Amino acid sequence: MQRYSGFSLVKHALSHHENWQRHWRNPVPKKEYDVIIVGGGGHGLATAYYLAKQHGITNVAVIEKGWLGGGNTARNTTIVRSNYLWDESAALYEHSMKLWEGLSQDLNYNVMFSQRGVLNLGHTLQDMRDIQRRVHANRLNGIDGEVVTPEQIKEIEPALDTSERARYPILGASWQPRGGVARHDAVAWGFARGADARGVDLLQQTEVTGFKIVDGKVVGVHTNRGDIGARTVGCVTAGNSGVLAKMAGFQLPVESHPLQALVSEPLKPILNTVTMSNHVHGYISQSDKGDLVIGAGIDGYLGYGQRGSFSVVEHTLQAIIEMFPMFSRVRMNRQWGGIVDTTPDACPIISKTPVQGLFFNCGWGTGGFKATPGSGNVFAWTLAHGQAHPIAAAFSIDRFRTGALIDEHGAAGVAH
Amino acid sequence: MFHIYCPYCAEYREEEEFHPKGQAHIARPADPTASSDDAWGDYLFFRDNPRGVHHELWVHAVGCRKFFNITRDTRSYAILETYRMGEQPGVTAETATLAERDIERRTSDTATIQGVPS
């Protein structure tokens, strides 16, 4: 792998930048691998990267039906934070946050991780009680956070309407300074490049059409490019997880919904931080290009169409205007949808399944991007050891039968 | 945006008037206290989540406030039928034809609407 540095930039300038290597190979599938990962999004690629790097398992294929990072990895609003209420999810997302903090160096790839801070606004007395409870829980778990007043919010984000004139006046917020945003595509590409350099085969345009299961144990997958054998298979397929589970003969407690986002025309720098509001339901940040990046809520119905209802866009922009009246004349440029796999307790599933050797990492719902490195890290450990990583153990599929749910609904600011 | 036919109001109304309420035809275990953890967990949480024809419960929330069922394709979003509570679906995954599911037309619509994937 060609390393990137200031020196290499100067060196390649001398040859007019014509000799940079490709990021990854486009290999022909082998007959058999030790581990197959289904799904070449951020989480799947991160899993492959950590399998190769930390567990020395390099005979690995990532199978992707489209192109790398072309699903929800390319469609989210890139928010990274770890201020979750419950111990189990706080441990998982904070594990991820710590990996984010060294990720560009680790991957030798600039993921443009910007810790510009995340505000979760409170508009009602109950919001403020929940925020205080969550911030205290975060601090007990060693996660940074504080409760800030409207005056402090005004200093952090002057563009916000913190006056008492608002329809839903801002009473305060939780503030996580270590939160922020990252460049979503770079995360997928960085993990892909790192995995490929360690020998992982990244098979694009390869669609899994079924599993080969013998005596209750997975021995490979059927694809549109022929059968590929494997001792262990990990599925990281977000919105399509339910479809893959059905191929393997069982159900998951997930439902797939469209989730939309939109961006405005590029503006000069106006937003300092990421602002989220659960009560009026919208969240917003500004990209380095200048667009306002705005996230909406899910459509309530099931859907695989990667598009959502217009009414959701309308409600979201109402919320944004409530928070930032000065944006009322900003024009929106593009809008799109991704398919998120939501679980009943708004927490992911990182788990064994009824089929031996087949593991699922899914159910990240509306907030998977922030967990990309942590999810890949604990799932790689799980695949390498054949049992759940200590942090992942609580996220077993069994919790939907034992009742040990981790209820993060609404507990983490806005559910994205 | 859906245009939904409410089988009670006998009229097409806009999606904004309705709320989706998840998978239809889920039978509650006859004797909950005798139900095993597995059976109860399945009833509460595990769903079909099909990529294709889906029978689902909706409520006409700001209309007649009655619950009813919709059969819909989750890829094209085409609504195949709406029917009252207690009735059985007339269209299923096995009987729906490609034309009914409206996949081709809707797919080309999508291409126009979405443009270049982002």
Side-chain angles (χ1 to χ4, degrees):
Chain A
M1 182 176 81
Q2 211 169 27
R3 283 191 66 77
Y4 297 147
S5 64
F7 175 73
S8 69
L9 198 62
V10 173
K11 195 180 89 180
H12 281 274
L14 299 174
S15 57
H16 304 284
H17 295 293
E18 286 175 356
N19 296 312
W20 290 105
Q21 279 177 3
R22 288 204 300 189
H23 272 29
W24 49 80
R25 299 162 294 131
N26 194 14
V28 176
K30 291 190 225 167
K31 282 266 167 280
E32 185 151 10
Y33 292 92
D34 291 339
V35 179
I36 284 178
I37 293 156
V38 185
H43 289 227
L45 293 166
T47 307
Y49 173 78
Y50 289 115
L51 264 179
K53 182 173 180 244
Q54 297 192 329
H55 305 286
I57 301 171
T58 57
N59 187 22
V60 174
V62 177
I63 300 184
E64 166 57 47
K65 74 172 175 180
W67 61 92
L68 300 180
N72 294 346
T73 305
R75 294 160 192 271
N76 65 82
T77 50
T78 78
I79 297 168
V80 177
R81 58 185 179 85
S82 61
N83 52 354
Y84 280 69
L85 175 67
W86 298 105
D87 293 353
E88 295 85 353
S89 38
L92 181 59
Y93 291 102
E94 181 60 14
H95 179 61
S96 191
M97 178 65 90
K98 289 194 174 121
L99 290 169
W100 275 113
E101 288 175 328
L103 196 61
S104 289
Q105 286 72 26
D106 185 34
L107 294 175
N108 181 232
Y109 201 94
N110 186 4
V111 299
M112 296 166 72
F113 181 46
S114 159
Q115 292 179 294
R116 58 185 68 176
V118 174
L119 280 173
N120 293 104
L121 303 179
H123 302 262
T124 66
L125 192 56
Q126 188 58 46
D127 275 0
M128 291 314 298
R129 288 178 182 142
D130 290 343
I131 282 171
Q132 281 168 358
R133 180 187 182 205
R134 179 163 49 76
V135 167
H136 290 312
N138 290 160
R139 294 172 75 128
L140 287 171
N141 277 319
I143 297 168
D144 63 320
E146 53 185 301
V147 180
V148 289
T149 62
E151 292 72 38
Q152 291 170 294
I153 296 171
K154 190 80 192 163
E155 281 189 18
I156 294 168
E157 193 61 282
L160 256 175
D161 180 10
T162 48
S163 72
E164 289 174 3
R165 293 188 310 272
R167 172 70 180 84
Y168 300 100
I170 295 166
L171 302 183
S174 74
W175 168 239
Q176 187 182 19
R178 282 160 72 234
V181 292
R183 168 92 174 109
H184 51 344
D185 291 329
V187 176
W189 296 336
F191 276 122
R193 172 171 166 265
D196 177 83
R198 288 169 175 82
V200 172
D201 281 358
L202 307 176
L203 309 174
Q204 301 181 72
Q205 305 282 305
T206 310
E207 183 170 358
V208 168
T209 52
F211 295 97
K212 283 203 280 187
I213 297 167
V214 177
D215 296 333
K217 188 179 180 330
V218 71
V219 294
V221 296
H222 304 294
T223 78
N224 58 348
R225 293 169 76 183
D227 293 358
I228 305 174
R231 277 184 285 168
T232 304
V233 177
C235 291
V236 201
T237 50
N240 279 306
S241 296
V243 178
L244 268 100
K246 196 175 178 189
M247 287 179 193
F250 57 89
Q251 275 187 332
L252 289 174
V254 300
E255 290 192 310
S256 298
H257 294 274
L259 175 64
Q260 298 180 79
L262 55 160
V263 293
S264 74
E265 58 192 346
L267 307 176
K268 287 187 177 176
I270 175 76
L271 295 180
N272 298 325
T273 183
V274 180
T275 303
M276 315 176 77
S277 168
N278 202 10
H279 193 75
V280 298
H281 208 288
Y283 43 104
I284 186 166
S285 64
Q286 190 171 22
S287 75
D288 292 351
K289 203 166 59 179
D291 338 4
L292 301 177
V293 182
I294 297 168
I298 60 169
D299 282 317
Y301 51 80
L302 289 196
Y304 288 86
Q306 294 191 317
R307 65 188 186 278
S309 291
F310 184 72
S311 53
V312 173
V313 174
E314 194 175 8
H315 288 312
T316 302
L317 291 177
Q318 283 166 355
I320 298 300
I321 301 305
E322 167 67 22
M323 293 190 279
F324 298 93
M326 65 163 71
F327 293 158
S328 63
R329 285 179 175 78
V330 175
R331 282 167 294 192
M332 293 300 136
N333 225 356
R334 293 180 295 125
Q335 166 270 348
W336 62 89
I339 303 306
V340 297
D341 45 336
T342 57
T343 57
D345 61 355
C347 273
I349 297 166
I350 307 171
S351 182
K352 293 183 200 179
T353 66
V355 179
Q356 212 188 330
L358 178 63
F359 295 80
F360 267 74
N361 179 1
C362 64
W364 290 93
T366 56
F369 177 74
K370 66 176 80 69
T372 305
S375 157
N377 189 274
V378 299
F379 196 49
W381 197 100
T382 302
L383 294 177
H385 292 79
Q387 58 178 29
H389 182 283
I391 290 178
F395 296 93
S396 159
I397 201 169
D398 293 339
R399 74 179 189 272
F400 297 100
R401 296 199 163 105
T402 62
L405 304 184
I406 308 158
D407 183 12
E408 281 291 352
H409 273 298
V414 66
H416 309 292
Chain B
M1 180 70 90
F2 293 137
H3 215 199
I4 297 172
Y5 181 82
C6 172
Y8 294 99
C9 300
E11 273 180 42
Y12 283 94
R13 298 287 185 87
E14 284 188 9
E15 178 186 334
E16 282 271 83
E17 294 189 14
F18 300 85
H19 285 307
K21 291 288 177 184
Q23 185 178 332
H25 307 299
I26 296 173
R28 183 181 167 92
D31 183 1
T33 49
S35 167
S36 68
D37 284 356
D38 280 4
W40 193 248
D42 281 348
Y43 162 67
L44 281 183
F45 300 125
F46 288 73
R47 297 293 179 259
D48 288 343
N49 197 25
R51 190 187 175 95
V53 175
H54 186 231
H55 307 291
E56 54 200 13
L57 200 58
W58 286 67
V59 60
H60 196 175
V62 295
C64 64
R65 301 177 66 185
K66 290 193 170 111
F67 282 78
F68 63 97
N69 300 301
I70 293 183
T71 305
R72 196 173 55 88
D73 192 299
T74 60
R75 291 166 295 183
S76 65
Y77 297 176
I79 293 172
L80 308 180
E81 62 172 341
T82 61
Y83 53 100
R84 296 182 177 205
M85 295 304 295
E87 294 177 359
Q88 288 303 308
V91 185
T92 62
E94 290 72 36
T95 62
T97 66
L98 212 57
E100 276 179 328
R101 293 184 197 179
D102 213 2
I103 283 171
E104 261 170 59
R105 187 174 69 79
R106 300 281 172 142
T107 313
S108 56
D109 278 358
T110 317
T112 337
I113 294 162
Q114 284 203 167
V116 182
S118 310

